[in-house]
Amino acid sequence: MEQYIPVSGVVACHICPRRYYFERSLEHPESPRYTVCKQVSTHLGELLDSERIWQEVLCILPDAPPETRELFDECISACRETAWQRPVQSDLAVESDILGIRGRVDKVFEDGTFAITRSSTAPRAGVYGTDRLRIACYVACIRETLGGTVTGGYVEYVSSGICRFVEPQPRDRRAMIRAIRAAKRVVAGEIPKRPLRAPCEGCPHLERCTAGPRRLSDLF
C-alpha cells in the first residue's frame, strides 16, 4: 500500500526536499507559539474569555515560557477586532487517494469552506506562498473526503487577528504536484539533490548537507 504524504511533508519538500530527507524521521514538537495561537483559534466566533482560554493554554503547556503570556494577550487583543465564523467541525482528518496525501483541517464551516490556523504574523497582503500550497493540498483532500466543489480556504493569522481567503491558482497546484513527487521520492529512499538557491541560512543540517565534494551533475 502506498504511504500517504502528510501535507506538512509536501510543504517541507516545496521549501527544500533535502531538508525533508534529513528530518522526516524526527519528532517535531509543537512550538509554544503555535500552542497559544491554536487554542485562541478554537474560541474564535464566540466571546473571548481570556482567563479561561489562558488556563486551557497552561493545561496543554504547563511549562509555558514567560513570553507566552505576552503573545497570548496580543492574540486576544488582535482577534477581538475581527468578526470570525464559527466552525461546524474542528480538526477534521482529510485525504486524497488520487494525490496520496493526507492532513488535518483546523476548521470546516457550514458553507463548506475551511480554515487553517497559522502562528506566523500576517503578510502585508495576501498569504505566504507556503500557505497557498497548504490550501491547495487541503482543497484537493476535502473534495475527495467530503465531496462538493470547495474552491479555496481561509488562513487564520491569529497573532495578527487576520483571516484571509485563498483560492489556489494553477501555479499553486503545479507547485503542489512537484512537491508531492519530491516527497514520494524521499519516502522511497532517494537522497534528493540540493536545489539551486537552497534556503540554507539557519538550516541545522547545513554541515551534514554540504559535506564532501559536489559534483557538477548535482547542479542539474
Side-chain angles (χ1 to χ4, degrees):
M1 181 178 176
E2 184 181 19
Q3 184 173 345
Y4 281 77
I5 306 297
V7 171
S8 60
V10 178
V11 175
C13 266
H14 171 72
I15 296 170
C16 180
R18 188 110 165 153
R19 181 165 180 169
Y20 180 60
Y21 173 82
F22 290 128
E23 295 186 347
R24 192 172 72 88
S25 59
L26 300 178
E27 289 289 329
H28 297 280
E30 187 173 288
S31 71
R33 183 180 181 88
Y34 181 79
T35 300
V36 168
C37 291
K38 174 71 172 177
Q39 202 56 29
V40 171
S41 175
T42 64
H43 290 273
L44 297 178
E46 61 186 65
L47 183 65
L48 296 179
D49 183 338
S50 60
E51 286 311 309
R52 180 162 68 92
I53 301 171
W54 176 243
Q55 290 307 313
E56 293 175 357
V57 171
L58 292 179
C59 180
I60 298 167
L61 199 67
D63 301 318
E67 63 271 16
T68 303
R69 178 67 201 223
E70 184 178 347
L71 169 65
F72 173 80
D73 289 338
E74 290 174 2
C75 290
I76 292 293
S77 177
C79 288
R80 281 179 172 153
E81 301 298 316
T82 304
W84 304 87
Q85 293 187 75
R86 294 189 67 173
V88 294
Q89 190 163 342
S90 301
D91 294 323
L92 178 68
V94 293
E95 61 187 35
S96 166
D97 293 330
I98 295 172
L99 295 174
I101 61 175
R102 63 171 40 139
R104 194 170 292 274
V105 175
D106 291 296
K107 298 177 180 180
V108 178
F109 302 113
E110 192 170 7
D111 63 0
T113 57
F114 66 95
I116 60 173
T117 301
R118 306 297 298 145
S119 61
S120 50
T121 55
R124 295 183 66 177
V127 305
Y128 297 109
T130 49
D131 291 332
R132 295 190 68 90
L133 189 64
R134 287 183 176 91
I135 293 294
C137 289
Y138 285 124
V139 165
C141 289
I142 287 175
R143 283 181 169 178
E144 284 191 51
T145 304
L146 302 180
T149 56
V150 60
T151 60
Y154 294 92
V155 182
E156 294 180 346
Y157 294 108
V158 176
S159 63
S160 300
I162 288 174
C163 184
R164 290 176 176 153
F165 187 76
V166 179
E167 190 168 327
Q169 299 302 306
R171 67 179 182 275
D172 303 312
R173 291 188 281 272
R174 282 193 292 270
M176 173 185 70
I177 291 170
R178 282 195 301 270
I180 292 171
R181 291 172 61 189
K184 287 181 177 179
R185 289 194 293 269
V186 169
V187 170
E190 181 178 318
I191 303 176
K193 297 176 181 177
R194 286 179 66 207
L196 297 176
R197 301 184 66 185
C200 298
E201 187 176 347
C203 178
H205 310 287
L206 180 60
E207 185 174 343
R208 181 182 177 191
C209 181
T210 57
R214 295 189 65 194
R215 298 170 299 175
L216 186 62
S217 60
D218 287 343
L219 297 174
F220 303 95

